[in-house]
Amino acid sequence: MAKLQDDLAEAQLKAIKEDQGDQATQLNNLLDSLNEAVLDEGISPNNIVPTGNGLIIDDISDS
């Protein structure tokens, strides 16, 4: 029974790691797409500001 529990725990850990890897890949793909879209619109990536609700484009100069 202990061997079965160990095998189950190992399988669950592997599934969690694989899922996190898939999520990281999806996030990286999304960020790459966002970066390309921003550059296509002539917006500097430096003007994209994360907020609690997402992202905003800050095109007002700080100077």
Side-chain angles (χ1 to χ4, degrees):
M1 185 69 168
K3 171 76 169 121
L4 181 59
Q5 288 175 332
D6 287 345
D7 290 346
L8 179 58
E10 187 175 321
Q12 288 174 330
L13 181 59
K14 182 179 177 185
I16 290 169
K17 287 181 179 179
E18 287 175 358
D19 185 46
Q20 288 174 343
D22 289 345
Q23 289 175 0
T25 299
Q26 290 174 358
L27 179 59
N28 284 333
N29 291 340
L30 179 62
L31 291 173
D32 288 345
S33 296
L34 176 62
N35 190 42
E36 287 177 22
V38 164
L39 292 175
D40 286 348
E41 292 295 320
I43 300 168
S44 169
N46 295 334
N47 289 359
I48 298 178
V49 180
T51 67
N53 295 324
L55 300 170
I56 61 169
I57 297 172
D58 178 11
D59 59 354
I60 301 172
S61 175
D62 291 335
S63 56

